[in-house]
Amino acid sequence: MKIGATISRLRKMKNLTQEQFAEQIDLSPTSLSQIESGKKRPNSSTLNRICGALGISELHLYFLSLDETDIPENKRDLYHKIKDPLKSLVESLI
């Protein structure tokens, strides 16, 4: 699961720099950088602020962060067939 990469992608979709977004969610730019790079996981309070600023639920964030390694091997063929259309649908709701 690549939550940090998803946060980074969604932040960029909103045309926000790390510094702007960090200020908006009351976090240091260094901490946000560590979260986006995957070096650090956000705690529940930080995750709540991130999702609020991005206008999404935690469920949406987790869904958009799924990757193949999160899916059982026997379900990966199905995952590959539906992942792009489903992710596009979820992103269109944001």
Side-chain angles (χ1 to χ4, degrees), residues 30-90:
T30 301
S31 291
L32 179 58
S33 176
Q34 291 173 335
I35 290 169
E36 288 186 351
S37 68
K39 293 178 183 173
K40 180 177 168 183
R41 288 193 61 107
N43 63 34
S44 61
S45 174
T46 301
L47 189 60
N48 191 18
R49 292 193 313 271
I50 288 170
C51 289
L54 293 173
I56 63 171
S57 70
E58 286 185 38
L59 178 62
H60 287 118
L61 180 62
Y62 287 128
F63 178 79
L64 292 172
S65 300
L66 283 175
D67 66 14
E68 182 178 280
T69 60
D70 299 315
I71 307 300
E73 276 190 51
N74 65 332
K75 303 289 183 183
R76 288 185 182 165
D77 285 339
L78 177 61
Y79 171 75
H80 286 291
K81 290 177 186 175
I82 65 171
K83 75 173 181 169
D84 291 333
L86 281 178
K87 285 188 178 190
S88 293
L89 176 64
V90 171

